[in-house]
Amino acid sequence: MNRPPVVDLRPYFLTLNDLTGPLAWSVLFGNANPVEIDVGCGRGLFLFSASTSNPAVNYLGLELDYHEGRRAARRLWKRSLPNARVLGGDARIALAKFVPSHSVDAVHVYFPDPWWKRRHKRRRLFTDEFVDLAAGVLKRGGLLHSWTDVEEYFGVIRALMDHHAEFEALPPPVESPPAHDLDYRTSFERKKRQLGATISRGLWKRR
């Protein structure tokens, strides 16, 4: 069986191992435009949609699963999008060691893995550490968006964000009917909304 050739997706897909120091946004994107980060970008629907709709904003997706990250990067590569990239690796390491302090305009976290089993809940993305890291990379006035279909997990997220000294809650966006089949933040959101699931949305601003 003939396998398709492996495509060199650089600079659309890099890993933490490819980096030798903190990211320089002007080098990564070739401009000084605002930067937003999509944590757990998955197959890249948000990256693709946001970068095509907002060409004056740069988007960096962080994805632990290299296979999914490469799928997202291939989507960007096919369109030669200059303002979107994917970085493979642990988001907490990326935020702690490679994203410059207070250099990001927004952090997006859509449908993080809920890790249903009790013994696995410690693997959840949202912890005090993660919220501290997000505060550390956001500019003053920067936004953190988080959506989930898991009500219990949203309660955890809201408690962490609402009680953090550097964040204040803002009114979240109101759900509206999709204009077309790609008018969703993520493929997971499309699946859940088509099944009639309730989506909880949160928005917070760094003080």
Side-chain angles (χ1 to χ4, degrees), residues 91-157:
R92 284 163 291 216
I93 296 174
L95 296 178
K97 296 185 177 181
F98 296 103
V99 175
S101 297
H102 306 309
S103 67
V104 175
D105 284 72
V107 172
H108 303 262
V109 189
Y110 298 121
F111 304 94
D113 193 329
W115 291 105
W116 292 105
K117 294 181 180 180
R118 183 182 297 274
R119 68 177 182 275
H120 290 160
K121 286 188 177 181
R122 60 185 175 81
R123 300 183 187 179
R124 284 179 168 179
L125 176 68
F126 269 91
T127 61
D128 287 313
E129 176 195 12
F130 174 75
V131 177
D132 284 343
L133 291 171
V137 301
L138 282 168
K139 296 177 181 177
R140 181 177 297 177
L143 301 175
L144 189 147
H145 308 251
S146 188
W147 299 7
T148 178
D149 64 312
V150 182
E151 183 178 3
E152 177 268 334
Y153 194 9
F154 186 70
V156 172
I157 294 170

Side-chain angles (χ1 to χ4, degrees), residues 16-72:
L16 295 180
N17 291 332
D18 295 319
L19 305 181
T20 58
L23 290 161
W25 300 128
S26 60
V27 174
L28 184 65
F29 293 106
N31 60 58
N33 291 341
V35 175
E36 301 191 10
I37 291 179
D38 181 15
V39 178
C41 66
R43 299 177 185 179
L45 178 57
F46 172 73
L47 282 181
F48 178 82
S49 300
S51 59
T52 52
S53 300
N54 306 297
V57 177
N58 297 320
Y59 295 89
L60 176 66
L62 304 179
E63 179 52 56
L64 184 63
D65 185 329
Y66 284 14
H67 178 70
E68 292 288 87
R70 285 182 60 84
R71 288 184 67 170

